[in-house]
Amino acid sequence: LQSPMPHSAHVIKSFQVLAKDRNLVMPMLNHLTDIINNRLPYDDKPDPKDKKKSIKTPELVPMAATCALGEIMQCDEVEETITSHYPQFLSSLLLRFGTANSNLPKTIEPPIKSPNLKGSTSTTSAAAQKSGPLVASQQTLQTFKTFLDCGKDEEVQKILNESTTCYSKIESADYSNSIFEIAGAVCKAHPDQMRGIFEYLLPYMKGNYTPQRVVTASVFAEFVAHCKDDKELLQKLVNTLLAAIVDPNVKLLTLKGLSNVVSNGTDQANRYAPTVIDALVSSIDDAEEVIAKESMSGLAKVFEVVDESRVAPILVNVCHRIRPAFEKSDNDIRAASFTLFGSLWRFGQDTAADIFYEQIHNNLPCLLMHLNDENVAVQNACKKTLRQFAPLFRSEELKTFLLRKQFDVDRSIDYEDFLNEISKLLINNYLDRINYYVMTTIEYYTSSWVVIKGNAACFTGTLLGNLPVEKRNKINLNPALVSR
């Protein structure tokens, strides 16, 4: 392992000869995976451009071990050994994908002399001289492909080769998505190996190196979606992710994994609903917008499946937690929050019907304001939500109006005409709520979005314009507010 990289032909041959010895092959492979998993993967060295800063530089020995592992796997004689220890080698290479990509320089120059050997005069091999800079992530990817070839893992190879992003993103900072794809392919091809992989990776959920925790959380998050036939493993996975949610480096991944519980059917979704929903709801208003968005997306998935009895006790709290996100500056957050609110429609028909009916009316002005949001995704989310709520308004007129084809998501609407029509229906059906609608809408006169201010003025005008003259004195409208 102290030989210069890429390894020369005689070094590769030496590894392969040792691999053919049944008494030596596993001790050697165990040594290599131990180096890959537990040796310092990178070192902090002074930045040549700024001595006050440091940069992470890949350590050569783990890189050499990764290369050696791939070279050994080129031997046909080790196929049985590799396949019989599938969790060990798959898990080690997945962990290496993380440590080879953690804020490291893209390349490093090969050493002129063998590292860590005092007095060594061994110069770089001819292969190293021709190869140019070494790339840790590329070495890992090549060894991973060799691992699949060695084990004749054709089904996993087929799935990954059909992916347009797996191998291209595995070398990027966004490598966790590729880990999802690899883990998903393994679950489909080797469901019998999932327990072994879980047990092997579990200690790294609390590992010293952040990339190893990221990889482990990614694998476990994907595994949660493939446990229909293994309830015991599902429970272990959920408990592990719940415990890891406090780690800010993997919080996003744990939220993804917890919401994947719905893939195992209604019974399992209901079983874990209290703890999963609680974890997701607590992150709705997270300071990190990507976390907040993921929690809302996950809740929307869960709410599509779980029984009303699981959600009814916390329905009002969920609505209150969602509400601030309607006015976030991030377009994706606003769209996700309205989509999540719409997913609650399932819980407005039985025991929680009256409670949710009030929440619909409380948030109706906001929905109507953002129906003409400056962002199209937000507009469509509001339109879809209104259609989902159509049967819950307790008005056949309003139901018919919102379910008409002209209100389809893929069609544009004349916003002013829409407000004029719906204001008439609101007056006819909810006269006692008009004052609330108006006073709530006036709050949007101070919105930071010009378009929302205009929407508020338009809605206020149509409501008051269509309201019978004798009813207008019941509106507690302060003229000073309108003049702002």
Side-chain angles (χ1 to χ4, degrees):
L1 295 180
Q2 305 293 346
S3 301
M5 293 177 288
H7 293 147
S8 61
H10 77 272
V11 172
I12 296 174
K13 189 69 174 178
S14 299
F15 281 127
Q16 293 177 345
V17 169
L18 291 172
K20 294 177 183 179
D21 188 321
R22 292 186 177 182
N23 296 321
L24 294 177
V25 61
M26 270 315 297
M28 180 171 58
L29 290 173
N30 286 337
H31 178 61
L32 292 176
T33 55
D34 179 64
I35 290 174
I36 290 172
N37 296 334
N38 302 313
R39 187 77 173 258
L40 181 69
Y42 41 79
D43 190 21
D44 289 318
K45 296 185 178 180
D47 187 341
K49 296 180 181 180
D50 186 349
K51 298 299 183 181
K52 295 181 180 180
K53 298 181 180 179
S54 62
I55 56 175
K56 294 184 183 298
T57 304
E59 284 289 317
L60 291 173
V61 174
M63 292 178 68
T66 305
C67 287
L69 188 60
E71 291 154 3
I72 291 170
M73 289 178 179
Q74 293 173 12
C75 295
D76 293 337
E77 289 83 356
V78 300
E79 178 186 346
E80 183 179 349
T81 302
I82 297 300
T83 55
S84 62
H85 295 81
Y86 188 88
Q88 175 181 347
F89 298 112
L90 174 75
S91 300
S92 297
L93 289 173
L94 292 180
L95 291 170
R96 182 61 184 155
F97 275 131
T99 55
N101 282 275
S102 177
N103 302 313
L104 300 178
K106 183 66 177 175
T107 61
I108 62 173
E109 295 297 326
I112 299 302
K113 295 182 178 182
S114 300
N116 302 327
L117 288 180
K118 291 184 178 180
S120 171
T121 57
S122 174
T123 57
T124 306
S125 66
Q129 292 174 349
K130 294 180 181 179
S131 69
L134 305 173
V135 185
S137 56
Q138 287 184 7
Q139 289 181 322
T140 307
L141 180 58
Q142 184 56 53
T143 298
F144 178 75
K145 290 181 177 179
T146 304
F147 162 70
L148 296 180
D149 288 335
C150 178
K152 295 181 172 55
D153 209 340
E154 296 178 357
E155 187 173 351
V156 171
Q157 286 178 313
K158 181 175 183 296
I159 295 172
L160 298 183
N161 288 335
E162 289 176 351
S163 169
T164 58
T165 59
C166 181
Y167 288 146
S168 62
K169 284 190 175 183
I170 197 69
E171 295 185 61
S172 71
D174 194 25
Y175 63 90
S176 60
N177 286 324
S178 296
I179 301 297
F180 287 144
E181 291 194 58
I182 295 172
V186 170
C187 289
K188 293 175 183 177
H190 307 291
D192 56 313
Q193 300 285 4
M194 290 173 61
R195 282 201 175 206
I197 295 169
F198 171 78
E199 296 296 341
Y200 193 91
L201 285 176
L202 184 59
Y204 296 97
M205 194 73 248
K206 297 181 180 179
N208 293 326
Y209 305 118
T210 298
Q212 292 182 334
R213 301 200 301 275
V214 169
V215 167
T216 303
S218 300
V219 173
F220 289 178
E222 183 62 30
F223 274 19
V224 170
H226 301 270
C227 289
K228 283 186 177 180
D229 299 321
D230 195 338
K231 296 177 181 178
E232 183 180 346
L233 177 59
L234 178 60
Q235 182 172 1
K236 290 181 178 180
L237 288 165
V238 170
N239 290 341
T240 302
L241 292 175
L242 286 170
I245 203 169
V246 296
D247 183 348
N249 295 297
V250 300
K251 185 173 183 177
L252 177 66
L253 300 169
T254 60
L255 293 175
K256 286 178 180 287
L258 291 173
S259 65
N260 280 343
V261 73
V262 301
S263 300
N264 299 289
T266 303
D267 289 344
Q268 293 305 309
N270 282 319
R271 177 185 177 187
Y272 294 104
T275 51
V276 169
I277 291 175
D278 183 60
L280 293 171
V281 167
S282 66
S283 300
I284 286 180
D285 47 10
D286 194 278
E288 292 285 338
E289 292 188 339
V290 65
I291 297 290
K293 184 166 61 175
E294 181 59 41
S295 68
M296 287 188 279
S297 175
L299 281 169
K301 287 170 57 178
V302 174
F303 289 155
E304 290 293 332
V305 177
V306 297
D307 294 340
E308 183 184 14
S309 60
R310 302 290 182 178
V311 180
I314 61 169
L315 188 58
V316 174
N317 180 44
V318 172
C319 291
H320 288 169
R321 296 293 290 269
I322 297 171
R323 181 66 181 83
F326 294 161
E327 309 303 331
K328 291 287 187 180
S329 59
D330 185 276
N331 295 331
D332 292 338
I333 291 288
R334 293 202 308 283
S337 63
F338 284 118
T339 298
L340 175 57
F341 187 43
S343 71
L344 296 173
W345 70 271
R346 294 181 59 242
F347 312 111
Q349 303 177 66
D350 293 318
T351 58
D354 290 339
I355 295 173
F356 193 61
Y357 180 73
E358 292 302 318
Q359 291 302 316
I360 291 175
H361 284 285
N362 289 346
N363 291 283
L364 182 58
C366 182
L367 276 168
L368 296 178
M369 294 302 98
H370 288 280
L371 183 62
N372 191 40
D373 193 278
E374 61 183 20
N375 181 263
V376 175
V378 178
Q379 292 179 15
N380 291 338
C382 290
K383 189 181 291 187
K384 182 180 178 182
T385 296
L386 284 169
R387 296 201 83 167
Q388 289 173 313
F389 290 166
L392 307 179
F393 275 104
R394 302 176 181 178
S395 165
E396 285 300 317
E397 283 184 302
L398 199 53
K399 176 182 175 181
T400 302
F401 175 73
L402 293 174
L403 294 180
R404 60 182 181 168
K405 288 188 176 181
Q406 293 92 324
F407 201 55
D408 287 348
V409 173
D410 58 348
R411 293 193 180 191
S412 59
I413 62 171
D414 185 312
Y415 183 65
E416 291 186 14
D417 285 347
F418 173 84
L419 288 183
N420 186 50
E421 291 184 59
I422 198 170
S423 64
K424 294 176 182 177
L425 295 174
L426 294 177
I427 291 168
N428 289 340
N429 291 274
Y430 316 109
L431 185 60
D432 59 327
R433 296 180 185 271
I434 299 302
N435 183 66
Y436 171 79
Y437 296 152
V438 171
M439 300 310 295
T440 303
T441 302
I442 286 175
E443 295 176 9
Y444 290 95
Y445 281 40
T446 58
S447 172
S448 58
W449 291 295
V450 174
V451 66
I452 298 297
K453 288 182 180 180
N455 296 344
C458 189
F459 186 45
T460 305
T462 54
L463 275 175
L464 295 177
N466 290 315
L467 191 66
V469 176
E470 66 275 10
K471 302 292 184 180
R472 293 179 187 174
N473 61 352
K474 295 184 179 181
I475 303 299
N476 301 321
L477 190 59
N478 184 346
L481 293 174
V482 184
S483 63
R484 286 183 182 179

